[in-house]
Amino acid sequence: MSSGEDGGSERKAMPPRLETGVRRLDFITKGGLIQGASYAVLGPPGSGKTLLAHQIAFWHVKHGGKALYVTLLTESHARMLANLEAMSFFDASVIPDKLHYISAYHQLETEGLKGLLELVRRAARQHQATLLIMDGMDAAKEFARGDLTYKRFLQELQTFIGIIGCTTILLSPHFAGDMPPETTAVDGVFELSLWLSGPRAVRELVALKFRGSDSLLGKHELEISDLGIIIHPRTEVLFSNPQEKEEGRRRRMAFGVPRLDKSLHGGLLSGSTTLLLGAPGTGKTLLGLRFLLEGARQGQPGVYFGFYETSQRLIEKAEGVGMGDFKKYVDAGLIEIQWQPPLEHNLDALAERLLERIQERKVKRLRLFVDSIAGFRSATVYPERMSRFFSALSHQLRMLDVTTVYSDETALFSPNVDAPQPDATAYVENVILLRYVELRSQLYRLISIMKMRESQYDSGIREFSITDKGITVAETFESAEAVLTGHAVVRGAPPKAKRKSPMGVRAAAKKAARKPKRKPAGRRPS
């Protein structure tokens, strides 16, 4: 077909693919392994090479293929299978008809690489294998007279499997600084790693080479469970090509706190991202819950995604500050609480869990409260990723029309406002600051809107209180200066208020102002 017939240039036909069944590995390789190609899987002991190969093999035979698993100097087949029995993908009924095992070390020891190659050829033809796995390629390398001999063996092996259309996976141990010869001879190379980040063990996968197709570059963390290997692509790479979405008419998403909503000119814009920044105890969690509750009262679904409070404790906390109907909306499913237990988490797995659940609900105008960014921060092994990670996550949430509120903590005792992540303003549209201020040996809470894109807002600093009746925001904190330092200083009587403040801070200031000033003591005569 000419380029004029289809309205564009001719497209090259994509080679047929072999799905791996390893969660998100096919996404990283943009469709799976290429049929008839050869791949090296490298990694230190315990990194998951054998498990990865078996997961691919069982998936392949389950979907109509036939696999041949050749072991060299590795553990016995019985022990290998015993270790796999706990895995959900394991199916003993496919052995040996669809998944056949042979041990080739004796052949290698007695006849060398030539004998090994002949054994593999016979077995592959006999069992009509469409997938060949060779485990323990370091043993084969030991019998080669040099790298050139070993590469020639690999070339002859590839020629044969190419003729029969069999996809091949070669497993080799790999250590830092070592690059086996097969990396230059095969079509693709996957490197698995296992290392310690403090007390935490970290497993990662990287596609070093992948001929014939694009792939997601860089390191991707993986975990091993009874489901087998699960790969978590880096969020900032997963959404590296964000799609622009045509937005409908945006609406205001109120907190249900009258004076605060008035300062926000009706509330946050739908689809925006907001950062609640404040010291511990300033009311970030309660304000976030109030945001979800107000949405539920208007029929808008909400999600609490947190790390520190169980469902029961959150409900009790809400009920203790005038949000008595919070539990009703939780029971009805309008507010969903996703609590992450205090375990070792994977940063990208958390993002996947959050986004997948939002997509499963298939609702519009969702409200999300993430409590807090610190939970994500503690899950990363690469702190320098945080800005790119949150930028990608926030953009994806916007594409899903989610109005997101993050909370993050500042230092409890500090005269300065230092954000834990200074560049957070690059990926959030709105910033609301919560602070304590000291006046006459008493602490008061303050709230102020520091930033709000695409909207007008009132930047006045206001006092707010949390009582058993709810959250109340007062008028401007006019009675003190230097409030952002955390140390308010009384300067005479404050201007006369138009209405009585519900907070009490003005009353304290007035009382201080009415106090008669003591005259300095005169000098005593000598």
Side-chain angles (χ1 to χ4, degrees):
M1 180 183 293
S2 67
S3 60
E5 290 176 351
D6 62 356
S9 60
E10 291 184 5
R11 293 185 178 180
K12 186 177 179 181
M14 294 296 294
R17 297 299 188 107
L18 182 145
E19 293 184 358
T20 65
V22 179
R23 194 171 182 184
R24 299 187 184 89
L25 179 58
D26 292 340
F27 181 84
I28 289 175
T29 59
K30 304 294 182 72
L33 307 180
I34 296 175
Q35 289 185 16
S38 58
Y39 298 91
V41 177
L42 315 175
S47 58
K49 300 184 300 296
T50 300
L51 179 60
L52 177 68
H54 274 97
Q55 195 169 342
I56 295 173
F58 277 98
W59 177 270
H60 184 64
V61 300
K62 180 181 178 181
H63 291 81
K66 289 192 175 182
L68 175 65
Y69 202 107
V70 180
T71 59
L72 299 177
L73 193 59
T74 59
E75 59 188 343
S76 67
H77 296 164
R79 187 173 182 83
M80 183 184 294
L81 294 175
N83 292 333
L84 293 170
E85 287 180 351
M87 297 294 169
S88 61
F89 61 78
F90 181 79
D91 182 6
S93 66
V94 302
I95 305 171
D97 294 334
K98 295 181 179 179
L99 174 55
H100 190 78
Y101 290 85
I102 62 171
S103 176
Y105 183 72
H106 177 72
Q107 199 84 7
L108 177 63
E109 189 177 33
T110 57
E111 300 182 28
L113 294 178
K114 185 177 180 180
L116 172 62
L117 183 59
E118 186 57 34
L119 173 64
V120 171
R121 283 172 174 169
R122 287 198 311 267
R125 287 196 184 99
Q126 179 184 349
H127 298 284
Q128 299 178 327
T130 50
L131 174 64
L132 168 65
I133 298 170
M134 297 185 66
D135 195 348
M137 292 302 292
D138 55 320
K141 183 182 176 183
E142 291 296 324
F143 282 86
R145 293 190 296 272
D147 286 352
L148 183 60
T149 305
Y150 185 58
K151 288 182 179 180
R152 187 178 296 119
F153 160 76
L154 293 174
Q155 185 180 27
E156 292 178 2
L157 177 64
Q158 284 183 294
T159 301
F160 166 71
I161 63 174
I163 293 173
I164 65 174
C166 180
T167 308
T168 303
I169 299 175
L170 309 176
L171 309 183
S172 301
H174 170 65
F175 301 92
D178 175 37
M179 192 57 64
E182 57 262 39
T183 57
T184 60
V186 295
D187 299 300
V189 179
F190 297 100
E191 182 183 11
L192 306 183
S193 61
L194 175 61
W195 57 283
L196 294 178
S197 174
R200 174 182 171 183
V202 181
R203 288 185 171 93
E204 293 175 317
L205 175 144
V206 56
L208 294 176
K209 174 181 177 182
F210 199 80
R211 288 177 183 161
S213 173
D214 190 14
S215 62
L216 291 186
L217 301 177
K219 295 180 178 180
H220 308 284
E221 201 162 338
L222 64 83
E223 63 176 308
I224 296 177
S225 69
D226 58 354
L227 298 175
I229 284 180
I230 300 174
I231 301 174
H232 304 291
R234 299 196 322 280
T235 302
E236 58 269 33
V237 177
L238 194 63
F239 304 114
S240 59
N241 295 309
Q243 300 296 317
E244 291 291 339
K245 182 179 178 182
E246 186 176 342
E247 297 181 353
R249 185 177 179 181
R250 301 175 73 182
R251 59 178 296 180
R252 297 284 179 170
M253 314 291 270
F255 279 86
V257 180
R259 193 61 189 84
L260 175 59
D261 291 334
K262 184 179 179 181
S263 298
L264 294 168
H265 284 236
L268 307 174
L269 283 172
S270 60
S272 65
T273 306
T274 302
L275 177 63
L276 290 182
L277 192 61
T282 50
K284 299 183 300 297
T285 298
L286 292 176
L287 196 56
L289 295 181
R290 190 68 182 81
F291 179 69
L292 297 180
L293 178 60
E294 180 63 18
R297 287 173 176 173
Q298 298 179 21
Q300 297 166 354
V303 172
Y304 171 89
F305 191 88
F307 298 86
Y308 311 113
E309 307 276 3
T310 63
S311 300
Q312 185 59 37
R313 290 191 64 182
L314 276 175
I315 292 171
E316 291 174 356
K317 180 177 285 191
E319 290 176 339
V321 291
M323 293 184 271
D325 53 344
F326 190 84
K327 184 177 185 302
K328 177 182 73 173
Y329 293 110
V330 172
D331 293 341
L334 204 55
I335 296 177
E336 180 177 321
I337 298 177
Q338 295 184 30
W339 173 58
Q340 318 309 309
L343 306 174
E344 286 187 350
H345 295 291
N346 172 277
L347 179 66
D348 301 298
L350 290 171
E352 290 165 8
R353 196 176 308 156
L354 173 61
L355 292 171
E356 287 175 358
R357 181 62 189 127
I358 289 173
Q359 291 169 331
E360 285 172 2
R361 293 188 68 175
K362 297 180 180 178
V363 295
K364 295 181 179 180
R365 301 295 188 195
L366 182 80
R367 296 187 180 210
L368 169 65
F369 176 46
V370 177
D371 192 25
S372 70
I373 288 178
F376 284 94
R377 194 179 294 119
S378 65
T380 184
V381 294
Y382 300 105
E384 63 273 15
R385 284 188 55 201
M386 291 304 296
S387 293
R388 297 189 300 273
F389 168 83
F390 269 106
S391 179
L393 175 62
S394 299
H395 184 81
Q396 191 62 19
L397 289 168
R398 291 186 197 100
M399 294 300 98
L400 296 172
D401 196 25
V402 176
T403 307
T404 306
V405 175
Y406 296 115
S407 69
D408 205 2
E409 288 192 352
T410 58
L412 181 58
F413 301 107
S414 174
N416 301 316
V417 182
D418 296 321
Q421 204 160 319
D423 50 2
T425 54
Y427 58 78
V428 300
E429 290 91 345
N430 318 311
V431 178
I432 298 176
L433 178 66
L434 308 176
R435 289 218 62 181
Y436 288 116
V437 65
E438 181 184 355
L439 179 64
R440 296 296 180 186
S441 302
Q442 176 127 7
L443 287 177
Y444 297 91
R445 292 183 175 94
L446 299 181
I447 187 169
S448 57
I449 303 164
M450 305 296 292
K451 167 189 172 184
M452 196 170 180
R453 288 181 191 160
E454 303 171 333
S455 173
Q456 293 183 337
Y457 64 96
D458 184 350
S459 59
I461 301 171
R462 291 176 169 76
E463 184 192 4
F464 78 103
S465 66
I466 301 172
T467 69
D468 58 357
K469 299 188 184 307
I471 299 173
T472 310
V473 175
E475 295 297 327
T476 304
F477 190 74
E478 298 169 337
S479 56
E481 67 175 21
V483 291
L484 289 181
T485 67
H487 301 281
V489 180
V490 176
R491 295 295 187 193
K496 189 176 181 181
K498 294 181 180 179
R499 62 183 181 85
K500 188 176 180 181
S501 169
M503 299 303 171
V505 66
R506 291 189 175 186
K510 286 181 179 180
K511 183 178 179 181
R514 287 196 300 266
K515 236 179 180 183
K517 295 182 179 179
R518 296 180 61 185
K519 294 183 179 179
R523 188 175 179 181
R524 296 182 63 186
S526 56

